[in-house]
């Protein structure tokens, strides 16, 4: 058996199918978030995300193209929802300091083991480093 556009068995080619065919992009990104939390961005592989999501490897390749494509989709979704906890805390608390503490408590509540939080912070660092390098490379020089 070999991997390619499908799985080859003898002369017959069987296409790999998703184990969970109704999986949405949001659910795939959530699986990536869980895998990042468990392993960190440096150790993350598409195989870990495939195992977390319960899909065929081809599903991730078709949707995201590569590990970088998956990480960019994850970072885009995370950035899109980043303001929500702050807005909620500002609406619920008069004191900016109390609101900030509420946001920190919410973030910590989602990431119970310290290692998981460290892995997500590593992802944020990677994302910020990528942003900094791409913006510096697109600046024009006089």
């Amino acid at each position: 058996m070999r991997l390619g556009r499908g799985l080859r068995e003898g002369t017959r080619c069987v296409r790999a199918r998703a184990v969970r065919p109704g999986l949405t992009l949001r659910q795939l990104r959530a699986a990536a978030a869980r895998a990042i939390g468990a392993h960190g961005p440096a150790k993350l592989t598409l195989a870990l995300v495939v195992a977390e999501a319960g899909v065929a490897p081809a599903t991730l390749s078709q949707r995201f193209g590569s590990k970088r494509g998956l990480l960019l989709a994850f970072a885009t979704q995370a950035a899109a929802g980043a303001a929500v906890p702050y807005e909620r805390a500002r609406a619920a608390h008069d004191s900016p300091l109390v609101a900030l503490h509420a946001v920190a408590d919410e973030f910590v509540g989602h990431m119970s083991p310290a290692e998981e939080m460290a892995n997500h912070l590593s992802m944020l660092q990677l994302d910020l480093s990528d942003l900094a390098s791409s913006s510096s490379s697109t600046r024009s020089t006089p």
Side-chain angles (χ1 to χ4, degrees):
M1 184 169 19
R2 73 177 180 93
L3 292 174
R5 294 182 64 116
L7 301 176
R8 265 201 207 277
E9 297 176 336
T11 58
R12 194 174 74 118
C13 184
V14 181
R15 293 208 52 86
R17 290 185 299 158
V19 176
R20 295 166 48 194
L23 218 56
T24 65
L25 285 174
R26 180 176 295 259
Q27 291 167 316
L28 289 173
R29 289 186 298 245
R34 290 189 301 274
I36 289 167
H39 306 282
K43 295 179 183 174
L44 184 74
T45 64
L46 290 179
L48 290 170
V49 179
V50 162
E52 185 67 43
V55 296
T59 302
L60 284 183
S61 295
Q62 290 169 352
R63 297 275 176 108
F64 303 106
S66 65
K67 175 182 169 182
R68 178 167 169 71
L70 174 66
L71 290 176
L72 288 172
F74 171 77
T76 300
Q77 179 189 13
V84 173
Y86 295 96
E87 292 165 356
R88 212 174 18 245
R90 269 185 275 168
H93 304 285
D94 291 331
S95 165
L97 184 58
V98 173
L100 185 60
H101 283 262
V103 171
D105 288 343
E106 183 177 341
F107 286 146
V108 170
H110 292 296
M111 297 174 228
S112 53
E115 183 181 347
E116 184 178 351
M117 177 158 302
N119 287 337
H120 280 286
L121 287 172
S122 294
M123 179 63 203
L124 177 60
Q125 179 191 15
L126 180 68
D127 191 31
L128 292 173
S129 297
D130 191 47
L131 178 64
S133 69
S134 68
S135 67
S136 68
S137 67
T138 57
R139 286 187 205 139
S140 60
T141 54

